[in-house]
Amino acid sequence: MFYAARFKEQPLTPSLDSPMTPLWLSADANGLLKLISSKKLDQPDLKDPSIKFALEAKTLTVEARSPIHRVALGVHNEQKLVAVAYADGSTRILSTSKLVEGELATVAKWEETPKRFKASNSSPDRWVGLDVRAQGILQSNQRGQVRLTKLGSDKDGETSHTCNVPMNLRHLAASPSGAHFAYGGTEVNLSLWSLEKSFQQSAETVSSSKPGKRGRGDQLFPGEIWRAKNVAHDNLDLRQPVDITSLSFLSDTEANAHHQIAIGNTLGAVHHYDTRKGKKPAGSWQDSRMSGGVALVEKGIRDHELYIADSSTNFWAIDLRASKEPLYSMKGLSGKVTSICASPSTGYVGVGALDRYFRLLDSPVSVDSSQSDNLQGHGSVVGKLYVTASPTAIIPLVEDAGSKACTVLDDVVAKDGEEDDWNNLQEVSSDEEDLAPTSKKRRKKA
């Protein structure tokens, strides 16, 4: 067995101090956490010249309870923590202090009650959101039962707060600053909530508004600060159903972290919203080549770049500002993408797929370093590893904002009281001609 022999090789020793070393944490359907490290090859691979890295996986010493739905990495209580949400309703908080040695010490753990998380019936619940922020660990299932847990000084010192939001969620995510969170789902339009205000309200107050039904008006729930409106009707003047599969915050700045949001839906459309400019999409992108709709969206390594994957093997990078065609495509995928995570510090993208491969992808370099949009070529697989189970979540473990591994426009960060680049864009209609119209002479009748 070639793959089994390869997997048992001595794992590489990663270095957390080097911002150029791609280092990833992968979770799979068997409930295992693997540390995937890389080593640059001295010579190109003979079978595939595009392979530049040799990848190795090391299984971490964490008890495998059940399949892992979500993994998140963040700083809370001045500690870098990894949160893991399992299919049985349990959650573990792990410390990364001994990660290089292959150990993740358990800092805290808890289990949801059967009433809040059903794991044994015919239609079990599923975690649709998990984030670690300074405010706490935020998580939610598809029934809209949100929990915010704040860790104390000791292992048993955590305090939890709960609130209810609409049901039938597909994705819930916290903003980079942690002050807000957004969600979307089946007949649940994109909505933005204040983290502090949402947990100040009692569960009875929110549930009394019947959040499981599609809202007919503009009335907001307690703690909700913005909600998107339905897009325009289709060519047959029929209402387009709302079925959001994934969302991503587009800004990393503290002041405007929650204003720019991109969503993908089952109709194969990607909509970009600016919460300061109204409730309709500020920009949209759609391609008939999408198979089964948009499955995942993720912020790219460049500004205004968004990664999208469909239910097949298509994986593209798009720019919602003006481009109608994808910026570039990712080649070398042979299975449906289950997880995407970009690492701006290294310039690489980690991708997990149903074919049980973890792939390391790179993006095209800019032809002119002064113009990051002038790209040439397509992304390719620079490293891949068979991991015995389909990865369900991937997070990068090496981040450094000062790294020059990729082209990032840091000089357009919005300041207090100033508008960012999105406000300077000129609105262009979808049917606008790129060329000036030419006059045509009428033919004379004989």
Side-chain angles (χ1 to χ4, degrees):
M1 300 296 292
F2 172 74
Y3 291 125
R6 182 180 178 182
F7 191 75
K8 292 182 180 180
E9 291 180 1
Q10 183 68 22
L12 302 175
T13 302
S15 174
L16 290 173
D17 298 330
S18 174
M20 298 298 293
T21 302
L23 186 63
W24 310 82
L25 185 64
S26 173
D28 59 29
N30 293 336
L32 299 176
L33 289 172
K34 297 184 178 71
L35 182 64
I36 300 179
S37 55
S38 62
K39 181 180 180 182
K40 196 163 187 177
L41 298 175
D42 297 332
Q43 297 180 355
D45 190 280
L46 297 178
K47 295 183 179 179
D48 189 352
S50 64
I51 300 297
K52 302 177 182 178
F53 290 91
L55 304 181
E56 297 292 344
K58 180 178 182 180
T59 303
L60 302 177
T61 56
V62 179
E63 179 185 359
R65 301 173 57 92
S66 62
I68 297 176
H69 287 172
R70 296 276 173 174
V71 175
L73 174 69
V75 178
H76 179 61
N77 280 354
E78 299 181 354
Q79 299 182 65
K80 200 169 187 179
L81 303 175
V82 174
V84 185
Y86 294 89
D88 61 357
S90 62
T91 304
R92 283 176 176 266
I93 309 301
L94 310 170
S95 174
T96 61
S97 58
K98 297 183 179 180
L99 181 60
V100 176
E101 302 174 5
E103 298 181 7
L104 285 173
T106 301
V107 177
K109 60 180 178 180
W110 57 84
E111 293 187 10
E112 297 289 342
T113 61
K115 183 178 180 181
R116 288 188 58 86
F117 194 95
K118 300 177 181 179
S120 58
N121 58 0
S122 58
S123 56
D125 289 342
R126 182 174 182 83
W127 294 111
V128 297
L130 179 66
D131 289 287
V132 179
R133 297 292 186 265
Q135 295 84 349
I137 293 92
L138 182 71
Q139 58 187 139
S140 173
N141 60 11
Q142 88 282 2
R143 291 192 289 124
Q145 295 178 329
V146 187
R147 172 189 289 272
L148 178 66
T149 306
K150 300 180 181 179
L151 302 183
S153 56
D154 52 13
K155 294 183 179 180
D156 299 327
E158 65 268 5
T159 57
S160 297
H161 306 274
T162 60
C163 74
N164 293 335
V165 299
M167 300 174 62
N168 299 325
L169 300 185
R170 302 285 293 271
H171 193 189
L172 182 144
S175 65
S177 64
H180 304 82
F181 66 89
Y183 60 74
T186 304
E187 292 303 332
V188 179
N189 228 325
L190 178 65
S191 178
L192 184 67
W193 288 55
S194 169
L195 186 70
E196 181 180 1
K197 293 181 181 179
S198 61
F199 289 98
Q200 289 177 351
Q201 307 294 331
S202 63
E204 291 78 9
T205 303
V206 180
S207 61
S208 63
S209 302
K210 298 181 180 181
K213 296 184 178 181
R214 177 166 49 90
R216 296 286 183 179
D218 296 333
Q219 183 180 2
L220 300 178
F221 298 121
E224 189 179 17
I225 61 178
W226 180 89
R227 185 192 304 163
K229 288 185 177 180
N230 290 351
V231 297
H233 290 190
D234 59 14
N235 296 332
L236 299 177
D237 199 22
L238 299 176
R239 173 186 174 273
Q240 299 190 47
V242 178
D243 198 354
I244 299 174
T245 56
S246 181
L247 65 93
S248 178
F249 288 91
L250 302 179
S251 177
D252 292 331
T253 60
E254 292 291 334
N256 301 320
H258 62 285
H259 290 309
Q260 308 288 343
I261 308 174
I263 64 100
N265 59 29
T266 54
L267 298 178
V270 178
H271 299 301
H272 157 241
Y273 290 90
D274 189 337
T275 61
R276 299 164 296 184
K277 294 186 175 181
K279 299 182 179 181
K280 293 288 187 177
S284 298
W285 183 91
Q286 191 168 9
D287 197 297
S288 59
R289 292 171 291 180
M290 300 294 292
S291 176
V294 178
L296 293 171
V297 297
E298 183 69 27
K299 184 180 181 298
I301 59 177
R302 299 177 177 89
D303 282 354
H304 313 302
E305 187 178 63
L306 186 72
Y307 296 135
I308 61 172
D310 64 2
S311 298
S312 181
T313 59
N314 294 320
F315 185 12
W316 294 328
I318 65 172
D319 190 336
L320 292 177
R321 292 176 297 178
S323 178
K324 297 180 181 179
E325 291 293 327
L327 290 176
Y328 56 89
S329 62
M330 297 291 190
K331 302 296 183 180
L333 301 178
S334 58
K336 177 186 176 182
V337 176
T338 58
S339 54
I340 304 172
C341 194
S343 176
S345 65
T346 62
Y348 296 100
V349 183
V351 175
L354 284 180
D355 60 358
R356 301 181 182 181
Y357 268 96
F358 171 86
R359 290 177 174 87
L360 194 62
L361 307 178
D362 66 350
S363 60
V365 297
S366 178
V367 178
D368 184 0
S369 60
S370 62
Q371 298 180 1
S372 62
D373 295 336
N374 188 14
L375 303 176
Q376 178 176 327
H378 55 76
S380 59
V381 178
V382 295
K384 64 180 181 179
L385 178 66
Y386 186 78
V387 290
T388 69
S390 299
T392 57
I394 299 172
I395 54 176
L397 297 177
V398 179
E399 287 297 331
D400 185 4
S403 174
K404 298 182 180 179
C406 61
T407 303
V408 180
L409 304 179
D410 294 327
D411 56 342
V412 298
V413 176
K415 300 180 181 179
D416 293 338
E418 296 182 357
E419 300 292 334
D420 56 13
D421 272 6
W422 295 97
N423 302 336
N424 300 327
L425 300 178
Q426 181 180 1
E427 294 185 1
V428 180
S429 60
S430 59
D431 55 351
E432 184 175 346
E433 296 290 338
D434 295 331
L435 301 176
T438 57
S439 60
K440 296 182 179 180
K441 296 181 179 180
R442 296 182 179 179
R443 298 180 60 182
K444 295 182 179 180
K445 295 183 179 180

